[in-house]
Amino acid sequence: MTAPMLSIEDLRVSFRTDDGLLQAVRGVNLSVDAGEVVSVVGESGSGKSVTALAVLGLHPAQRSEITGRINWQGEDLLAASPDRLRQIRGGEIAMVFQDPLTALNPVHTVGRQIIEAVRAHRDVSRAAAKARAVEMLGLVGIPQPQRRVDMYPHEFSGGMRQRAMIAMALSCDPKLVIADEPTTALDVTVQAQVLELLVASTHELGSAVMLITHDLGVVAGLADRVAVMYAGRVVETSSTDEVFAEPAHPYTIGLLDSLPRVDTDVEEELRPIGGQPPSMLSPPPGCAFHPRCPFASAERGCMTELPELDARPHAAACWRRDELASLREAVTA
Amino acid sequence: MTLLEPHMTPSADDSLLVAGPGRSLAQDAWRRFKRNKLAMFGLVLVVFLLIVAIVGPFVVQDPTKFSKTVFREPPTRQHLFGVDHRGADVLANVVYGIRLSLFIGILATILETFIGIFIGAVAGWFGGMADTLSMRLVDIMLGIPYIILAYAFITVLGRGVLAVVLTLALTAWLQTARTVRAGFLQAKELEYVEAARALGVKSWRIMWRHILPNEFQPVIVLVAVGVGGAILAEAALSFLGVGIQPPAPSLGRMIADAQSHFASAPYLLLFPGLAIVVTVLGFLLVGDGLRDALDVKDV
Amino acid sequence: MTTFVIRRIGSLLLTLLGGYTVLFILFFALPSDPAEVIAGGNGKNPPAAVIENVTKKYHLDDSIPEQYVRRLWDTVTLGGESFQTHEPLVETIKTRLPNSLRLAVWAMLIEVTVGISTGVLSARRRNSLLDTASTLGTAVVSAIPVFVLAYLLRQVTGVYAFQHQWPEWARFPVLSEANHGWYLGIIPSLDQLKHLVQPALVLASVSTVIVARLTRTTMLEAAGSDHVRTARAKGLRERRVLTRHTLRNALIPVVTFIGIDFGTMVGFAILTETVFGWPGLGSRVARAASQSDLPVVLTLSMVVMAIYGVANLIVDISYAKLDPRIRLGGAK
């Protein structure tokens, strides 16, 4: 087995705030292979966006502390020079942000913004870069790209804006596209379209995707692999099918139970997860999920010992992993 | 360069950063105000000047008593700020000048605030013709150079202390009216206001009891800054010789008088000048502090 | 665009008419005897013959509507002359308006260069010494009356410098005149520069600190915005992120302020021009006011208001160029 294209090892990110040190990410391990679609799922505040921004080194240096390793094709991005990091941003790893209205600069045309991305990484003429912009806008399904390229972001609809954002991200043939909740800010009606387009167009270019979302539902048909995050850590990761078929962490179980299912005939009640995510200024001792976990047990160490992600192919971080199946039956009985 | 704010970090979620329960808005604002060193410095200046204005007259000499032998004398132990060209004690004149400046500034601002609230409230609440006319008037008056406008009012009202107060008030309500109007326009759309209207509560009652208290924050900032502005304006008018007439002790006129002696007796200019700066600075700093503490924007 | 400009010009004319009306009412309709005011100068008791002369000269015994129309016509055509000096107002404006413009242009240059660069620097080094100093400096400069600031400057460069034999270039004349030669009407000769520096600095002082603060605020806002993060995520060089994305967006409100402020400086430099004896419109208006030369005050005020209004109009039009989200005539 060759080394994965991107592998994040024991990443920790903290921010200094007025109220103390905020531990946003507390030891994340995560990998993405070439061409693969990996989805990172978690509630807002679980550290998934912070992880993504850390990969590109977009956290402000004076207010954040970052440790661990981010291996990108054999080099450690946390140790990379600013110049090298700049080449990687957009050139090798591109990012699609949540809200295209604020993520695009309102005073420049969409075309100009794509052109400067292209010219930041390729030594091409303005005209060639513009041709590339038009081509990319066409690729992401924007009608009349020759005309649209000279329009401003506010003249686009929400869905079109996000398509333009995707076109911009793909314009330099990145090997990896990180999409941070790319459809949350969009109308429900266009969310599915844009997501499918994102995955399809990256597939066409052979790029890998790291899809960050809070909605386990959107992951099902699109991602090859899923990593579930909770309170700054990955608590379960495996192929999408396995995670859906046999969730191995109570939090994942909770997420799945709170999804409406269309694949069963049984009338099931939706069960939201009770309680609130923990404060990252002072995360609870032991497993961070234990205050909300129906199976938490003092004897197993849930309240005192932090469970590590185990080494199985379908990895999970839970002290009672092997008992979960029987525990669930006992609860439903 | 790292100007970038941290991206919405997870636990920067509001729930974690809001102040603890049981703390009122005023207490919260005071807590923030106290942490602001410049604002506290401004407050100390204002309190100090108020004390000077109240206690000063009992301490200093008679500002209208002219010495027959001493003219234009630099500061001595007897005359801490020196003696002016008429033989009067500069310290006494400065103290009385501060007193008058504060009196004029505060009174004019109180008046101006009432005018501004009234016009702004009527314009914002009733809209239509009342709004169009009053806002057009605001535009017009803002277009006339301030000193000319004030001078025009003085032509009508005269140059007594109260006339000048009235002039300053009549020329300074524009910003207050604009701010209050904007607040009323917003408030009109709020649900509890609509509910009160639907219930048939009288207009003036809704305005007075429900909307005005919410306008308190921007107005209080405008008041603090306004006192400083009024004092500056009075000084400018007196300096140009179109303000308060003697013998009232105006700091602006002291400076204008000192003008012809400024090469040989700079202290005649320095002390009244400093008095104006310190007074205005105090109010401006307090105003800035209030703006931050109350989180008021666009004022 | 054209309809917008036409509508704005119409609105400007209406405002000017309103301004004229306000001043007319205050100067000529409300005072019990405007002739006495004009003849008396600064609160003196003029002889009856002079009052009668003034009344005739300015038609002050006509009915108020007649006076309103006659005076409006005089103002629009820049007719009439000073009561005190008998100089025709057209001449006054011809000689003084260019001086006011020159002073304002140079003050604006100071405002732009010093204000914007200080703002950018204090935003980039937040909480540094420069940043704190500019916060306090803003309050202090806004609290110093222009005429006090002017005297301080004159005391140092005009009096102290001569007394203590400072080098020639650090000594400045106490009074600033504007007739020592200009190239292309706007570039001062070396001798003129000496007369220009002090009033330009004083006139620019308050505006400069406001621009610095405004720039700092908008820079911080822009720097924290999502699209700047996008720009960085695209792999742009920091220099480009700063110029094309941070500064470009941050400067929109700053440019707007400077434009409006220019209109203000041309006509509202009353105190600065008076202190330095700069022969512009402002010092003339101040003198006319202290002599109660009401017709002069009225006409010059209207000229100044018109300049201010035109500056505002230009700012509004260019605003749409700077921010494509703004459509002229449409909602924001």
Side-chain angles (χ1 to χ4, degrees):
Chain A
M1 206 178 101
T2 52
M5 183 169 66
L6 171 75
S7 82
I8 300 171
E9 289 163 21
D10 196 31
L11 179 72
R12 289 166 196 273
V13 183
S14 305
F15 299 105
R16 285 181 284 275
T17 71
D18 288 347
D19 301 283
L21 200 65
L22 195 139
Q23 306 167 40
V25 171
R26 305 184 300 149
V28 158
N29 291 292
L30 190 70
S31 67
V32 181
D33 281 322
E36 169 181 55
V37 179
V38 176
S39 179
V40 180
V41 184
E43 290 166 303
S44 61
S46 59
K48 48 196 196 316
S49 299
V50 176
T51 305
L53 291 173
V55 171
L56 285 178
L58 290 175
H59 288 299
Q62 325 108 313
R63 293 173 71 178
S64 56
E65 285 167 16
I66 304 176
T67 60
R69 279 183 68 83
I70 298 172
N71 287 311
W72 172 250
Q73 300 184 312
E75 63 184 309
D76 184 4
L77 294 188
L78 289 182
S81 71
D83 232 31
R84 174 69 188 128
L85 209 54
R86 197 186 60 71
Q87 289 175 344
I88 292 171
R89 291 177 186 154
E92 296 176 23
I93 307 176
M95 188 128 183
V96 175
F97 289 100
Q98 179 169 344
D99 185 353
L101 184 61
T102 57
L104 290 167
N105 191 335
V107 306
H108 297 302
T109 61
V110 169
R112 230 180 294 157
Q113 295 185 59
I114 300 179
I115 290 167
E116 69 176 358
V118 172
R119 288 173 42 111
H121 299 288
R122 290 186 185 167
D123 190 18
V124 294
S125 71
R126 183 166 289 280
K130 183 161 185 179
R132 176 72 175 163
V134 173
E135 180 197 339
M136 294 312 295
L137 289 177
L139 179 79
V140 297
I142 288 179
Q144 295 181 281
Q146 296 89 340
R147 207 166 62 82
R148 288 278 179 166
V149 76
D150 291 323
M151 288 169 82
Y152 289 94
H154 71 272
E155 296 170 300
F156 280 47
S157 71
M160 285 298 158
R161 269 197 291 268
Q162 195 59 300
R163 281 167 193 259
M165 191 78 201
I166 293 170
M168 191 161 90
L170 294 177
S171 60
C172 295
D173 280 323
K175 298 195 175 95
L176 171 66
V177 175
I178 301 177
D180 185 2
E181 307 240 13
T183 58
T184 311
L186 303 184
D187 271 0
V188 184
T189 46
V190 299
Q191 286 188 357
Q193 273 178 31
V194 169
L195 265 183
E196 269 161 35
L197 171 100
L198 170 71
V199 172
S201 47
T202 46
H203 189 73
E204 199 174 317
L205 298 169
S207 313
V209 180
M210 184 165 143
L211 176 63
I212 294 168
T213 175
H214 63 270
D215 186 356
L216 200 50
V218 309
V219 170
L222 297 170
D224 304 318
R225 247 165 6 96
V226 175
V228 179
M229 281 190 71
Y230 188 79
R233 292 177 69 88
V234 174
V235 293
E236 177 171 359
T237 176
S238 185
S239 73
T240 310
D241 294 342
E242 277 186 61
V243 170
F244 273 78
E246 221 179 311
H249 192 282
Y251 177 61
T252 318
I253 296 172
L255 282 181
L256 286 169
D257 281 346
S258 60
L259 282 180
R261 301 289 289 252
V262 286
D263 55 341
T264 53
D265 296 333
V266 193
E267 281 283 319
E268 247 186 305
E269 219 177 304
L270 297 181
R271 288 189 300 268
I273 308 175
Q276 291 289 319
S279 158
M280 302 308 289
L281 288 166
S282 52
C287 169
F289 189 58
H290 84 253
R292 302 167 77 183
C293 181
F295 313 121
S297 144
E299 298 97 81
R300 308 285 166 171
C302 295
M303 280 69 166
T304 46
E305 303 266 335
L306 183 64
E308 290 292 332
L309 206 57
D310 56 31
R312 305 182 212 180
H314 179 170
C318 175
W319 292 119
R320 310 193 72 182
R321 163 171 194 178
D322 294 318
E323 304 165 64
L324 280 180
S326 50
L327 285 170
R328 284 179 79 190
E329 267 166 43
V331 169
T332 31
Chain B
M1 185 183 83
T2 34
L3 274 170
L4 193 75
E5 292 291 317
H7 171 54
M8 268 316 279
T9 51
S11 338
D13 273 0
D14 300 351
S15 54
L16 289 165
L17 296 178
V18 291
R23 218 187 264 146
S24 78
L25 189 72
Q27 280 169 316
D28 220 40
W30 172 237
R31 192 175 56 100
R32 280 197 293 266
F33 190 90
K34 265 196 303 195
R35 270 203 309 219
N36 185 339
K37 285 191 197 109
L38 279 181
M40 286 307 285
F41 175 61
L43 190 63
V44 168
L45 285 184
V46 169
V47 170
F48 168 73
L49 289 163
L50 286 173
I51 293 172
V52 165
I54 294 164
V55 180
F58 299 107
V59 182
V60 298
Q61 307 169 11
D62 182 356
T64 52
K65 200 188 86 190
F66 302 128
S67 157
K68 298 228 163 60
T69 50
V70 189
F71 303 97
R72 281 212 277 153
E73 188 190 59
T76 57
R77 194 165 296 177
Q78 252 180 332
H79 303 282
L80 287 175
F81 286 6
V83 178
D84 73 7
H85 56 286
R86 303 166 303 170
D89 181 47
V90 175
L91 175 63
N93 273 286
V94 166
V95 166
Y96 276 86
I98 290 175
R99 202 172 139 93
L100 184 70
S101 282
L102 286 175
F103 173 76
I104 290 177
I106 292 172
L107 195 60
T109 305
I110 291 173
L111 268 176
E112 167 259 301
T113 305
F114 278 115
I115 300 171
I117 288 178
F118 178 76
I119 293 182
V122 168
W125 182 257
F126 294 106
M129 211 49 183
D131 189 25
T132 314
L133 283 179
S134 53
M135 285 308 116
R136 177 60 78 170
L137 183 65
V138 168
D139 282 346
I140 289 168
M141 288 178 68
L142 282 175
I144 303 175
Y146 179 83
I147 286 175
I148 301 300
L149 187 66
Y151 167 68
F153 275 98
I154 280 180
T155 313
V156 178
L157 296 169
R159 295 180 182 185
V161 171
L162 286 176
V164 169
V165 167
L166 205 56
T167 293
L168 293 175
L170 286 172
T171 49
W173 54 272
L174 312 167
Q175 185 61 42
T176 311
R178 273 192 170 173
T179 307
V180 171
R181 168 180 176 270
F184 267 78
L185 282 180
Q186 262 178 0
K188 257 205 312 204
E189 311 297 324
L190 293 179
E191 279 173 29
Y192 69 86
V193 173
E194 282 186 2
R197 281 176 117 178
L199 286 171
V201 181
K202 281 204 180 79
S203 277
W204 64 266
R205 198 180 160 78
I206 301 176
M207 288 162 70
W208 185 252
R209 295 293 292 269
H210 295 281
I211 305 182
L212 215 50
N214 291 321
E215 289 305 299
F216 178 73
Q217 299 188 19
V219 169
I220 194 83
V221 174
L222 283 174
V223 166
V225 177
V227 175
I231 291 173
L232 269 184
E234 186 277 317
L237 290 173
S238 296
F239 171 78
L240 290 174
V242 297
I244 296 175
Q245 288 195 302
S250 161
L251 294 172
R253 209 187 47 249
M254 289 173 74
I255 293 171
D257 289 346
Q259 187 170 359
S260 38
H261 313 282
F262 91 103
S264 55
Y267 50 90
L268 291 184
L269 206 141
L270 192 66
F271 292 111
L274 217 55
I276 297 177
V277 174
V278 169
T279 314
V280 177
L281 184 65
F283 283 99
L284 288 187
L285 288 177
V286 168
D288 275 351
L290 284 172
R291 190 192 331 251
D292 290 345
L294 296 168
D295 198 21
V296 178
K297 291 199 181 95
D298 307 327
V299 170
Chain C
M1 174 79 186
T2 326
T3 47
F4 170 80
V5 173
I6 291 172
R7 245 206 348 257
R8 277 298 315 267
I9 290 175
S11 164
L12 172 59
L13 291 177
L14 214 63
T15 306
L16 288 177
L17 185 65
Y20 166 78
T21 311
V22 167
L23 289 180
F24 176 83
I25 291 172
L26 289 171
F27 282 146
F28 295 99
L30 286 182
S32 54
D33 190 356
E36 199 178 313
V37 177
I38 296 173
N42 203 348
K44 287 167 222 118
N45 272 337
V50 180
I51 295 183
E52 199 181 324
N53 186 10
V54 170
T55 308
K56 260 214 203 92
K57 185 175 163 87
Y58 293 116
H59 305 276
L60 293 174
D61 44 2
D62 287 0
S63 72
I64 295 290
E66 270 179 286
Q67 285 189 51
Y68 180 86
V69 174
R70 187 194 304 275
R71 197 149 293 291
L72 180 60
W73 179 248
D74 269 2
T75 306
V76 171
T77 56
L78 303 179
E81 58 171 48
S82 161
F83 176 72
Q84 300 284 344
T85 65
H86 304 289
E87 186 187 31
L89 280 170
V90 186
E91 288 308 310
T92 308
I93 292 164
K94 258 195 214 154
T95 54
R96 287 182 175 256
L97 181 58
N99 288 336
S100 280
L101 281 171
R102 287 165 181 152
L103 185 59
V105 165
W106 286 94
M108 193 176 73
L109 275 176
I110 297 173
E111 174 185 359
V112 168
T113 48
V114 179
I116 292 181
S117 50
T118 310
V120 170
L121 280 177
S122 56
R124 289 188 64 171
R125 309 203 194 296
R126 199 141 46 121
N127 301 323
S128 66
L129 194 65
L130 176 74
D131 189 22
T132 318
S134 86
T135 307
L136 184 64
T138 308
V140 173
V141 173
S142 333
I144 303 180
V146 166
F147 47 92
V148 172
L149 188 65
Y151 281 133
L152 284 180
L153 199 60
R154 280 168 66 177
Q155 189 64 38
V156 175
T157 58
V159 177
Y160 193 85
F162 283 91
Q163 284 168 354
H164 290 80
Q165 309 291 317
W166 281 13
E168 173 61 32
W169 55 265
R171 284 186 261 168
F172 290 90
V174 169
L175 275 182
S176 293
E177 295 141 19
N179 44 15
H180 289 259
W182 297 86
Y183 305 112
L184 303 173
I186 194 71
I187 302 162
S189 65
L190 217 60
D191 187 30
Q192 180 59 57
L193 191 64
K194 287 229 148 181
H195 291 270
L196 174 72
V197 168
Q198 296 189 81
L201 272 177
V202 169
L203 182 58
S205 60
V206 177
S207 305
T208 305
V209 292
I210 294 177
V211 166
R213 295 309 288 171
L214 187 63
T215 308
R216 177 185 182 272
T217 311
T218 56
M219 276 293 287
L220 286 176
E221 238 165 58
S225 68
D226 282 0
H227 69 258
V228 166
R229 192 183 53 191
T230 308
R232 208 164 272 138
K234 283 195 290 202
L236 300 187
R237 289 178 196 285
E238 273 309 318
R239 170 157 218 93
R240 195 175 170 88
V241 173
L242 180 68
T243 53
R244 288 295 295 263
H245 292 276
T246 315
L247 256 181
R248 169 68 175 76
N249 291 55
L251 285 186
I252 295 174
V254 178
V255 169
T256 309
F257 172 82
I258 291 171
I260 293 171
D261 196 48
F262 179 73
T264 313
M265 287 197 300
V266 173
F268 295 41
I270 294 174
L271 290 169
T272 307
E273 289 189 6
T274 303
V275 176
F276 288 105
W278 185 265
L281 290 173
S283 55
R284 184 69 188 91
V285 166
R287 183 149 58 93
S290 68
Q291 294 169 338
S292 294
D293 203 340
L294 297 184
V296 176
V297 178
L298 183 64
T299 304
L300 292 190
S301 299
M302 295 312 298
V303 171
V304 162
M305 268 188 90
I307 293 169
Y308 177 70
V310 171
N312 265 298
L313 177 64
I314 293 170
V315 165
D316 277 2
I317 293 170
S318 46
Y319 195 61
K321 281 262 175 290
L322 291 170
D323 189 341
R325 284 167 299 181
I326 306 300
R327 266 231 195 91
L328 288 182
K332 275 191 187 176

